[in-house]
Amino acid sequence: MSFPVAFYSPVASITQDEEKARKAKMAIIMERYKDKVLALPRKEIDTNLHLCKYEGFWYHHGFWLHSNANFSVEAIMALQDEFQALPTDVFLSSQVKSGTTWLKSLGFAILNRAKFKIDKDSWATHPLITTSPHDCVPFLESESFLNNPSYANGLMSTHIPYTSLPQSIISSDCRIVYIHRNPKDMLISLWHFMNTLREDGSSPTKLDDTFELFRKGLTPNGPFWDHAIGYYKASLERPNKVLFLTYEKLKEDTYNEVKRLASFIGSSFTKEEEDDGSVQEIVELCSFKKLSEAHKGNKDGSHSSNGIYFRKGIVGDSVNYLTTEMIKTLDEIAKEKFDGLNISF
Ligand SMILES: Nc1ncnc2c1ncn2[C@@H]1O[C@H](COP(=O)(O)OS(=O)(=O)O)[C@@H](OP(=O)(O)O)[C@H]1O
């Protein structure tokens, strides 16, 4: 399958000339980093998953070489060379399938609440509903961002590991918010997602196979554990700059975590807003229930793919799929990797 051209952009459609221009730009980036990428260790896992290892993490390579490689290692290299963060920027970071869509929704609703009202009567016209969380907050390393950096309105997201972020993000005063998720739930979410993307008629990936890859760290932006550790350590070293959230805590105490998030990104709720129900309205607007109702099953138009980001949205679903042996293996890896660190698994 291929994603719609403007998948991660707020532009529903682009002209043929614009399409030509963006392809030309991506071709330049591909060419610029060709030799560097060719020299990287590679794993051709199957027709849908070709990974290469860069700075300790695995990535897709090539923007159009593979069906779902909207992200690519070339993009990360280009960002490392060129991207300039502003001190006022906010970056929402995550591993895939760890709460990215939720965090994007919350960040966007919080920071834009003066522009896009969050009271129930305004929900129908809110961009999180009329477009999608992924349209509202672009991925830094996505093809559409690289082609349209003007989309960067101060709120961006990324799956890039902390240690590979463009230097200007690390050294500037911007804020980084990371969302971590229990690796077992993340794995099950990823497995379902990969099979949902598989529209080429091939048989679904077996859980055993995805488990094996995950265990070895062979998932896009993996190893999962190293990704979390990078941001966790950064949050300890620079607590005013990096906030480490977890999907589970956000589920358990959404109201207070949303307040904490707002305060961290410099947009605290006033006493008046708390009293008039604004926090609760954001919680509900960004809830799995509201967003999945708005996007799931919508198979028409330019946002046809948005439903794939909503499955169950619960904590602990992995116990319904993983064997006792698989759980034991993953817990042992986490225990060893997260030893001495207060990271949940
Ligand atoms: N608003 C909200 N609240 C709670 N949970 C939510 C929400 N939106 C998405 N989800 C669940 O998050 C999982 C998808 O993860 P990501 O958003 O990180 O996916 S992606 O990396 O952007 O593709 C996936 O988890 P699973 O249901 O376990 O598969 C989604 O259902």
Side-chain angles (χ1 to χ4, degrees), residues 91-104 106 158-159 176-187 189 214 221 223-233 235 242-252 257 260-261 314-316 330-331 333-335 337-339 341-345:
F91 295 91
L92 307 176
S93 300
S94 60
Q95 249 292 4
V96 294
K97 314 322 291 178
S98 293
T100 317
T101 312
W102 195 9
L103 184 59
K104 283 187 181 198
L106 290 168
T158 185
H159 291 315
I176 300 172
V177 181
Y178 186 74
I179 186 155
H180 167 68
R181 189 180 193 187
N182 178 316
K184 289 163 284 192
D185 285 353
M186 179 277 191
L187 164 61
S189 184
F214 183 75
N221 309 286
F224 176 90
W225 303 273
D226 300 4
H227 200 281
I229 289 168
Y231 280 96
Y232 178 77
K233 287 189 170 164
S235 76
V242 184
L243 177 68
F244 192 90
L245 299 176
T246 71
Y247 184 95
E248 293 74 25
K249 180 81 180 153
L250 196 52
K251 269 267 159 195
E252 183 192 308
E257 288 295 276
R260 197 156 77 97
L261 169 63
I314 57 170
V315 173
L330 294 179
D331 283 349
I333 297 173
K335 251 182 221 146
K337 289 264 195 185
F338 295 160
D339 184 35
L341 307 172
N342 188 17
I343 306 178
S344 54
F345 57 91

Side-chain angles (χ1 to χ4, degrees), residues 11 36 57 67 93 112 134 144-145 161 190 197-198 235 244 274 300 325 327 329 336:
V11 182
K36 201 170 166 181
F57 291 86
S67 54
S93 300
N112 291 288
H134 288 284
S144 55
F145 179 86
L190 178 68
L197 288 182
R198 202 171 278 271
S235 76
F244 192 90
E274 279 204 49
D300 303 324
E325 195 54 36
I327 292 175
T329 304
E336 191 190 321

Side-chain angles (χ1 to χ4, degrees), residues 95-337:
Q95 249 292 4
V96 294
K97 314 322 291 178
S98 293
T100 317
T101 312
W102 195 9
L103 184 59
K104 283 187 181 198
S105 311
L106 290 168
F108 185 85
I110 291 168
L111 287 176
N112 291 288
R113 65 188 186 275
K115 191 168 170 197
F116 302 116
K117 290 197 180 152
I118 40 82
D119 59 283
K120 282 195 176 65
D121 293 341
S122 308
W123 284 0
T125 54
H126 195 283
L128 288 172
I129 303 298
T130 57
T131 64
S132 99
H134 288 284
D135 292 324
C136 293
V137 186
F139 279 109
L140 199 54
E141 66 273 35
S142 69
E143 183 248 328
S144 55
F145 179 86
L146 285 168
N147 273 297
N148 300 278
S150 60
Y151 291 160
N153 62 355
L155 181 64
M156 289 154 273
S157 84
T158 185
H159 291 315
I160 302 175
Y162 186 80
T163 43
S164 290
L165 286 173
Q167 191 49 42
S168 69
I169 298 183
I170 308 281
S171 55
S172 92
D173 241 356
C174 60
R175 298 282 183 279
I176 300 172
V177 181
Y178 186 74
I179 186 155
H180 167 68
R181 189 180 193 187
N182 178 316
K184 289 163 284 192
D185 285 353
M186 179 277 191
L187 164 61
I188 291 306
S189 184
L190 178 68
W191 174 59
H192 281 285
F193 186 72
M194 284 166 76
N195 280 328
T196 307
L197 288 182
R198 202 171 278 271
E199 283 180 358
D200 56 5
S202 56
S203 47
T205 308
K206 292 195 189 92
L207 177 56
D208 281 5
D209 295 339
T210 309
F211 169 81
E212 270 310 300
L213 293 174
F214 183 75
R215 180 176 75 76
K216 294 177 189 155
L218 277 164
T219 49
N221 309 286
F224 176 90
W225 303 273
D226 300 4
H227 200 281
I229 289 168
Y231 280 96
Y232 178 77
K233 287 189 170 164
S235 76
L236 295 185
E237 283 156 20
R238 315 177 73 189
N240 296 331
K241 185 180 155 81
V242 184
L243 177 68
F244 192 90
L245 299 176
T246 71
Y247 184 95
E248 293 74 25
K249 180 81 180 153
L250 196 52
K251 269 267 159 195
E252 183 192 308
D253 189 7
T254 315
Y255 190 94
N256 284 311
E257 288 295 276
V258 166
K259 275 175 48 185
R260 197 156 77 97
L261 169 63
S263 149
F264 184 81
I265 59 181
S267 190
S268 297
F269 293 100
T270 60
K271 167 92 178 62
E272 199 181 34
E273 282 181 308
E274 279 204 49
D275 291 346
D276 73 13
S278 296
V279 185
Q280 189 57 29
E281 269 162 339
I282 287 188
V283 168
E284 285 176 33
L285 169 64
C286 300
S287 67
F288 180 84
K289 185 174 183 303
K290 179 69 200 160
L291 292 178
S292 62
E293 272 170 14
H295 299 295
K296 217 172 169 175
N298 171 14
K299 298 279 176 210
D300 303 324
S302 59
H303 303 294
S304 58
S305 301
N306 292 327
I308 60 174
Y309 295 101
F310 306 94
R311 193 182 62 92
K312 286 191 182 170
I314 57 170
V315 173
D317 189 41
S318 51
V319 297
N320 298 315
Y321 297 91
L322 297 174
T323 63
T324 313
E325 195 54 36
M326 285 171 167
I327 292 175
K328 190 167 163 256
T329 304
L330 294 179
D331 283 349
E332 276 167 7
I333 297 173
K335 251 182 221 146
E336 191 190 321
K337 289 264 195 185

